[in-house]
Amino acid sequence: MTECIVIEELTKYYSKFLALDKLSLRVPQKENIGLLGPNGAGKSTTLKILCGLIRPSSGKAYIDGIDVVAQSEKALSKIGAIIETPEFYSYLTPEDNLGYFGRLRGMKGEQLKRRIREVIELVKLEKWGKVKIEKFSRGMKQRLALAQCLLHDPPVLILDEPALGLDPRGVVEFREIIESVGKEKTVFFASHQLVEVAQICSQVAIINNGQLLAYDSITDLEKKYQSLEQAYLTLTGGIS
Amino acid sequence: MSQFAQLGIVIRYEFLKHIRRARLYVILGIALLTELAVLILIPVLRDGYPNNVTVMAVLLTVGPSLAALGAVFFAGDAIAGEFESKTGFLLFINPIKRYILWLGKYLAGFIAVALLILFTYIIIVVSLLVIYQEVPFETLTSFGLCILFASATLSLTFLFSAISKGSMGATVMTLVFVWVISGILESVLGFTGNPYWFMISAGGDSIAMAYGGMESFMEGLGLGRFGAMMEQFQPLKVGEAAWGMTIYLVVGFAASVIIGNRRQLA
């Protein structure tokens, strides 16, 4: 099986704080992998390194065999990402924002316009396409973040708590979208919502203190620990 | 996709942002009101306009000088804002080198401020033509120096934006540096007979000095020559001030690119 995301001995210090401790992980192509761990475990740090937002202190990370540090732009051309709760340029409309990001990725003309319409419809913001984002709620911005993530139809999706701020209907719709598009894409998905992860992902990696504690299929973890929740709590130190 | 094409896209959308924000129109309004105040108050307070067209032209440079300082408001959030407001989580994940982003932002800010300056000079030219039926040739030099001053101020603001955590901090730091610190140092250096062309505030002064030195301006207003305290004062040489601004322009922008490229969005 081809590996789409390869993380090798990734270490990251924030000043003296060790956020990632020689983390190694391999994500197979077209698999949906959940990244679980408590607050401060190193999930966001891992995803930010993959997206070129921060540099590792040591170690390597590759997307489709491309070094994310040495060839950052080439690696970024393969991914669509939602990191934390991103903010859009509030004085522009969703169409403006998506137009900007789409053009930076080489999309243009009618193809870009059509694709912007498609993704805006997909996240159910069609009535808001021409409204300045300063009027948007957090949940609406999160929907738009999903739209920008899918705009250029990337082969790899990197998602950090992507359902944060969505209402219950939004969470369900988001899950359906990711389940649908995830069949043809590699999805690396950090979340605290175990139910959500269990519904979208086939395997999970559980990390804490920057170290990998388990990386297995959800079925196997449930067999071993009775449930995914039990596995999470046991491995991250909640239950002995 | 070529980097040149990406640069064009960044300029286009960054300029669109300037157009959609109120600050462009606020700066334009302030510059226009200032020009209007000069045009109305001078004849009211001093019984008519000065006889010399050059003196009036100097007085009217206050408008473009303010417009040039608008650069601070266009660039204060250029780099810091991407980190502070988290828009960088969307912008930096695109396959584009960061220096292209910074250059595009710089050029978009430059276009916005250059248009403001151009507009204020059009007002100057029209006003002088109406009042005096002539326009001094030095207006063109003054315009060039004003554009250079705006570019240097833009670079300096980019530098403060690259090192600041927040946009407001970058804006305030630049204004304090240009208007207060640089202004005070320029005065101290000037009055003590030392060179001061390298202070950015001297670059701002050169916009008016393009029409001639301070002495000829004061004489034109009928205020006589400098007193004894100004004996050691060396008039600003416009060419030297232009060099000073060029240094701020190049060094400020280069440093902001290096620092901006190294910043991480944690």
Side-chain angles (χ1 to χ4, degrees):
Chain A
M1 192 183 292
T2 318
E3 283 153 345
C4 184
I5 299 172
V6 175
I7 294 167
E8 288 177 348
E9 302 264 301
L10 212 53
T11 301
K12 177 65 183 177
Y13 280 95
Y14 292 112
S15 219
K16 287 181 181 171
F17 175 72
L18 179 62
L20 286 183
D21 187 6
K22 294 184 179 174
L23 181 75
S24 294
L25 196 65
R26 287 164 186 267
V27 177
Q29 204 167 38
K30 293 187 182 175
E31 288 282 336
N32 296 355
I33 306 295
L35 185 61
L36 301 176
N39 292 326
K43 304 185 298 294
S44 291
T45 299
T46 306
L47 301 190
K48 283 174 186 171
I49 290 173
L50 288 171
C51 292
L53 295 167
I54 53 176
R55 290 180 293 277
S57 304
S58 65
K60 293 274 185 187
Y62 302 89
I63 289 174
D64 266 353
I66 304 159
D67 188 323
V68 299
V69 176
Q71 293 177 284
S72 178
E73 292 77 40
K74 201 174 170 190
L76 287 173
S77 68
K78 306 275 182 186
I79 66 166
I82 304 175
I83 304 292
E84 292 189 2
T85 305
E87 284 296 329
F88 289 84
Y89 299 111
S90 58
Y91 28 83
L92 299 182
T93 66
E95 288 183 2
D96 292 333
N97 273 280
L98 295 178
Y100 187 13
F101 302 135
R103 283 186 174 86
L104 285 180
R105 289 184 175 273
M107 301 168 79
K108 57 186 173 183
E110 197 47 48
Q111 174 229 7
L112 175 60
K113 279 184 188 167
R114 183 173 42 77
R115 186 60 185 156
I116 288 173
R117 276 199 303 272
E118 280 174 11
V119 290
I120 283 180
E121 275 177 31
L122 188 69
V123 298
K124 297 193 165 51
L125 285 176
E126 52 269 56
K127 286 179 187 168
W128 298 85
K130 294 185 191 301
V131 178
K132 280 188 184 178
I133 290 169
E134 61 196 10
K135 296 186 169 59
F136 279 31
S137 68
R138 189 177 178 187
M140 288 163 77
K141 287 180 195 169
Q142 205 67 10
R143 283 171 183 263
L144 190 57
L146 182 59
Q148 72 77 32
C149 173
L150 299 170
L151 179 68
H152 51 292
D153 198 18
V156 184
L157 298 182
I158 292 175
L159 309 172
D160 183 12
E161 295 285 355
L164 212 64
L166 292 174
D167 56 31
R169 180 182 294 277
V171 173
V172 173
E173 287 169 358
F174 160 80
R175 191 192 308 141
E176 285 170 358
I177 292 169
I178 295 297
E179 275 181 316
S180 167
V181 299
K183 287 171 190 160
E184 294 302 316
K185 297 181 190 298
T186 307
V187 182
F188 196 32
F189 175 25
S191 178
H192 288 296
Q193 303 299 319
L194 301 184
V195 177
E196 194 178 273
V197 170
Q199 286 179 318
I200 293 172
C201 302
S202 52
Q203 296 183 66
V204 292
I206 300 175
I207 65 172
N208 198 10
N209 300 319
Q211 292 179 323
L212 183 66
L213 304 175
Y215 184 26
D216 212 338
S217 70
I218 292 174
T219 317
D220 285 351
L221 283 170
E222 284 173 341
K223 274 183 196 164
K224 197 170 171 185
Y225 294 94
Q226 294 179 321
S227 70
L228 181 59
E229 186 181 63
Q230 197 70 16
Y232 176 86
L233 292 173
T234 306
L235 289 165
T236 57
I239 293 173
S240 56
Chain B
M1 185 181 205
S2 74
Q3 291 188 340
F4 191 73
Q6 284 186 321
L7 178 64
I9 292 163
V10 177
I11 294 171
R12 176 180 162 184
Y13 278 92
E14 290 297 327
F15 187 68
L16 181 65
K17 283 197 250 170
H18 292 314
I19 299 258
R20 297 271 179 89
R21 292 159 110 177
R23 64 183 69 168
L24 177 83
Y25 307 101
V26 170
I27 298 164
L28 181 65
I30 291 170
L32 283 177
L33 280 174
T34 312
E35 297 285 50
L36 211 59
V38 172
L39 285 167
I40 293 168
L41 291 176
I42 293 282
V44 170
L45 298 174
R46 108 173 257 295
D47 197 21
Y49 290 109
N51 294 329
N52 191 336
V53 64
T54 307
V55 173
M56 191 61 196
V58 170
L59 290 168
L60 285 169
T61 55
V62 66
S65 300
L66 277 174
L69 272 175
V72 178
F73 299 98
F74 291 135
D77 63 352
I79 298 176
E82 299 292 350
F83 294 86
E84 184 186 23
S85 64
K86 296 187 177 182
T87 45
F89 282 130
L90 293 170
L91 187 62
F92 299 153
I93 59 172
N94 288 293
I96 180 169
K97 295 222 176 270
R98 281 203 195 171
Y99 75 84
I100 301 285
L101 289 173
W102 308 144
L103 183 60
K105 281 169 175 279
Y106 182 92
L107 292 173
F110 173 77
I111 293 168
V113 77
L115 286 174
L116 285 177
I117 291 169
L118 181 66
F119 196 72
T120 55
Y121 270 94
I122 289 171
I123 291 171
I124 291 176
V125 169
V126 171
S127 304
L128 294 178
L129 280 174
V130 169
I131 301 166
Y132 298 95
Q133 291 79 50
E134 63 171 317
V135 178
F137 178 76
E138 289 83 0
T139 304
L140 198 60
T141 315
S142 173
F143 173 71
L145 288 165
C146 191
I147 292 285
L148 188 56
F149 176 63
S151 312
T153 307
L154 205 58
S155 281
L156 197 62
T157 316
F158 260 69
L159 178 56
F160 282 119
S161 188
I163 59 177
S164 301
K165 276 195 171 177
S167 311
M168 187 56 78
T171 305
V172 171
M173 272 196 282
T174 315
L175 286 174
V176 168
F177 185 83
V178 177
W179 261 349
V180 182
I181 298 171
S182 181
I184 291 170
L185 286 175
E186 184 196 345
S187 302
V188 170
L189 290 169
F191 290 138
T192 52
N194 289 294
Y196 57 93
W197 57 268
F198 47 85
M199 302 310 304
I200 192 161
S201 53
D205 294 344
S206 73
I207 298 167
M209 293 300 115
Y211 291 99
M214 180 69 84
E215 289 195 28
S216 58
F217 172 68
M218 292 179 81
E219 280 172 23
L221 279 174
L223 297 173
R225 296 179 63 81
F226 288 149
M229 68 170 289
M230 300 289 280
E231 272 175 5
Q232 293 186 59
F233 183 79
Q234 294 297 316
L236 179 68
K237 288 177 183 155
V238 168
E240 286 179 349
W243 274 113
M245 289 189 283
T246 308
I247 292 168
Y248 281 99
L249 164 62
V250 175
V251 175
F253 183 67
S256 67
V257 168
I258 293 165
I259 298 165
N261 283 352
R262 292 191 59 77
R263 271 182 85 161
Q264 301 186 67
L265 187 50

